[in-house]
Amino acid sequence: MSAPPPVPQGDYLPARRHRDLIFTSGMTPREAGVLTHHGPIRASDPLEDHADAVRLACRNALTAARATLAEGEAISAILSLTVYLVTEPGFTAHSRLADIASADLRAELGEAGIGSRAAVGVATLPGNAAIEIALVAAV
C-alpha cells in the first residue's frame, strides 16, 4: 500500500494525472502538514544543513505522484524536476542542492529518475519554506 499524498495547504490537488503524465504541485518540506525547514538559505550555510529539507520535499512530490497510480502501475520516468530555493544574495550553489533531489530520484527509480531540471532561487515561498519541489512524471 502506498503512502497517502501530502495534505494540500490551500485549494489545489497534490498531483494531477492526465493520461500517462503526472504533474505535482510544489511540495515543501512538511511532515504531517508541519513545515520542518524555513528559509532563507544563507551563502555561508554548509549545503548538508539543507539536505534533509531537499529530501523531504522531493519525497513529498514523489509520494503525491505515486498516489495517482492505479494498482500495478509505476512511474516509468521523471520528465522534469523543478527545485525552488529561498536564498540570500550571494548564494550560488542552487544546482548542488538540486543534485540532492536528483540523487534521491535516481536511487529510487534508477536512470528513469533523471529528467530535465531547473534549480531556481526565489525571494520567498509559501509559509516561509526554504525549498519547494515540483515534478512531472510519466506512467
Side-chain angles (χ1 to χ4, degrees):
M1 181 173 177
S2 63
V7 176
Q9 302 299 303
D11 191 13
Y12 61 90
L13 297 172
R16 177 75 168 208
R17 180 172 175 175
H18 180 72
R19 297 190 176 121
D20 288 340
L21 294 177
I22 303 167
F23 300 84
T24 72
S25 295
M27 295 292 160
T28 54
R30 291 181 184 271
E31 289 185 290
V34 177
L35 187 65
T36 60
H37 299 81
H38 300 84
I41 298 168
R42 305 201 184 290
S44 61
D45 290 348
L47 295 182
E48 191 55 38
D49 286 359
H50 304 287
D52 286 344
V54 172
R55 289 183 185 108
L56 180 54
C58 187
R59 184 174 69 231
N60 286 342
L62 192 55
T63 298
R66 284 181 166 152
T68 69
L69 298 173
E71 188 173 332
E73 289 185 321
I75 291 175
S76 63
I78 299 298
L79 302 177
S80 178
L81 167 66
T82 305
V83 180
Y84 302 95
L85 305 161
V86 174
T87 62
E88 72 175 9
F91 182 85
T92 60
H94 301 77
S95 289
R96 290 181 54 210
L97 278 177
D99 281 344
I100 295 166
S102 293
D104 279 8
L105 291 168
R106 184 188 305 269
E108 184 74 23
L109 301 168
E111 290 305 310
I114 303 301
S116 65
R117 186 181 83 188
V120 182
V122 298
T124 64
L125 286 169
N128 194 30
I131 294 160
E132 183 172 308
I133 291 181
L135 299 173
V136 178
V139 177

